[in-house]
Amino acid sequence: MSGTAPATTVSPLHTGRHAAVSTESPWTGTDSLIRLALRRDRVRLSVWIAVLTLMMVYAPAAIELAYPEEAQRLTRVELLKTPAGMMLGGPMFGVNETDLGVMMANELTLTLIIATSILAILTVIRHTRAEEEGGAAELVLASVVGRYARTTAALAVMGAVNIVLAVTMTAAMAATGFGVVDTAAMCIGVTAVAVVFGAVAAVTAQLWRVARAATGAAMATLALAALVRGVGDVIDNSGSAVSWLSPIAWAQQMRAFVDLRWWPLALLILLTIVLTALAALLEARRQYDDGTIASTGERPGARPIRGVLGLHLVLQRGQTIGWSIGLFVAGLAFGSMTKSLIDAAADNPLLARLVANQGADGVYTTMSQFLAAAACAYAVSTVLRVYADEQSGLGEPVLAGSVSRMRWLFTAVLATVLGSVVLMFFAGLGNGLGAGMTLGEPRTVVRLMLAGLAFVPALAVLAGIAALAVALRSTWIGWLAVTFVVVSLYLGALLRLPGWLIDLSPVAQTTVPTDTPVLALIVMAAVATAFTLVAGLVYRRRDAV
């Protein structure tokens, strides 16, 4: 038969290493997917950008308020040169260390890197693996869409958000009187690291079939990078060879406000290119709705899951382990700073007031509240998983059986409370070990371990609010509660929020370790129960989707 057969386009749903070559470009439809992603995420991304930009205005004012005198700033610098301070801050280069710009770069860069990197990871996973897992990607791929279009669109949106952040954060901080060039270098370094971890998320999205696993792997990579950077800077407070194994150190080693140099930025750009190429290679070699790493969830010899509660515990096991390790390390770092904070109170009126009123217990309470505030995100996210599973259809097989909707939601809350017990046990243990070894008081270990457990009722309240958010199909309610707890704890005094408003935070109502408010704990347990019951009633009555 003469002539050439017409070229055909293979459906993207059947792409793989042996698929026929399509006449369409691998990037066909990328521009449409970018517009769709921006439309879907316009509110979510706008809130993130606004919060991170406002932080650049708030932070200088907060540092000036807390440390108005040169001697107080010098005390702060010495505190940050301790091992715990180096882990939580950044390298100290020994030049103008009490300058406000240097303090901003040292104390704020790591926080901004973690925040923007989390945003980048969530954005990329949301528009790649999560859509594939939930089935939304199948509808998109039913049209003419290139193989790399979805990942390219996700990376483009993530990159565009970080470009906007670099501009808005630079403008906000420069408006308060800082030099534009150094400010731009600091902000560009922060967002460049975020882009790197967005590319890491693109890789993990190809490796794991489940969005939760892909997100956890990317977050674990971020945590490991932060830990390696911290250990490296503890070895040498200007940055050691170990520090350079972490991309976070590359941004900090741009040395904004100290001795600005731009060449470390090239390392971040190069790493982003390599990771993006790796993601493309992995995507070309895998089938749709599959992962490069084989799933182990269907092992024939696996032990059966017994009961609905057991299923919830298994589903959140990875999060519980990861958060427990993170809070233990954070508690260890916080606890090891106790003696330095007490010594620093001699030259700082704010710290002196805290120590004078409550002694070391005031420091313990503050640090325990910080750890509990972080754990609030765990409490909310694990309960909100019920809504995510409902949207993706993963919860339908369970509810199709003899499991009622109320039972499904109630056991999710119970599993979260049990997980919170584990989290706060390890957070208190780390805090106690750090403080006990620093002060030479072994009994402090037990005291702070029990003090950590005292925050479980507060976390139960957040879990109850998250359950109500699931029932109302409004997940933003749960995250609004977390935001309120964090803002009231960190910024309540600076913003001069009324006392009654700050007291609404369940974390603020928990003071430890000597003056545990038993009545407040009982009330919080009752409030958590009430929220959960109301949520169960609403969840039972409403439609499934």
Side-chain angles (χ1 to χ4, degrees), residues 218-510:
M219 293 290 190
T221 305
L222 173 61
L224 179 62
L227 179 62
V228 170
R229 194 285 313 166
V231 171
D233 287 353
V234 168
I235 295 174
D236 183 342
N237 61 17
S238 292
S240 66
V242 175
S243 303
W244 287 90
L245 297 176
S246 169
I248 294 177
W250 303 350
Q252 293 178 322
Q253 287 293 333
M254 290 175 68
R255 302 189 178 188
F257 298 101
V258 177
D259 180 22
L260 181 60
R261 52 187 186 179
W262 289 95
W263 65 263
L265 181 61
L267 298 177
L268 293 169
I269 295 174
L270 178 61
L271 181 57
T272 300
I273 294 172
V274 171
L275 290 170
T276 302
L278 177 59
L281 176 63
L282 293 173
E283 188 167 24
R285 295 173 61 87
R286 73 174 181 89
Q287 298 286 342
Y288 171 80
D289 196 28
D290 199 4
T292 304
I293 298 176
S295 173
T296 59
E298 299 178 357
R299 292 174 297 177
R303 287 166 39 178
I305 298 174
R306 301 189 182 279
V308 181
L309 177 61
L311 176 58
H312 279 301
L313 291 174
V314 170
L315 290 174
Q316 70 184 41
R317 179 174 54 195
Q319 283 181 280
T320 303
I321 293 173
W323 275 91
S324 296
I325 294 173
L327 289 178
F328 174 79
V329 173
L332 195 64
F334 283 0
S336 65
M337 295 176 68
T338 302
K339 188 175 186 303
S340 298
L341 286 172
I342 294 175
D343 293 341
D347 300 314
N348 189 299
L350 295 178
L351 291 176
R353 193 179 312 152
L354 175 66
V355 174
N357 291 337
Q358 297 180 296
D361 287 341
V363 177
Y364 296 150
T365 294
T366 300
M367 292 184 170
S368 298
Q369 287 177 339
F370 285 163
L371 295 170
C376 287
Y378 164 87
V380 168
S381 65
T382 49
V383 175
L384 291 183
R385 192 201 70 247
V386 173
Y387 181 74
D389 289 345
E390 180 182 338
Q391 294 299 104
S392 65
L394 296 178
E396 188 173 339
V398 178
L399 295 175
S402 60
V403 179
S404 68
R405 293 167 64 80
M406 288 184 68
R407 183 184 175 195
W408 180 239
L409 184 60
F410 287 168
T411 49
V413 174
L414 178 57
T416 294
V417 173
L418 293 176
S420 298
V421 172
V422 176
L423 256 65
M424 295 314 299
F425 170 82
F426 282 103
L429 177 61
N431 199 6
L433 285 173
M437 290 186 296
T438 302
L439 299 174
E441 298 177 357
R443 63 178 183 176
T444 302
V445 178
V446 177
R447 291 180 64 213
L448 293 186
M449 184 177 65
L450 296 176
L453 295 175
F455 287 91
V456 172
L459 298 181
V461 173
L462 271 294
I465 294 174
L468 188 59
V470 170
L472 296 175
R473 295 196 190 94
S474 301
T475 56
W476 61 267
I477 294 175
W479 293 116
L480 180 63
V482 175
T483 302
F484 170 71
V485 169
V486 173
V487 170
S488 62
L489 181 63
Y490 283 86
L491 310 180
L494 181 66
L495 298 178
R496 292 182 171 84
L497 297 178
W500 64 267
L501 183 61
I502 295 178
D503 290 340
L504 289 178
S505 168
V507 172
Q509 289 293 327
T510 308

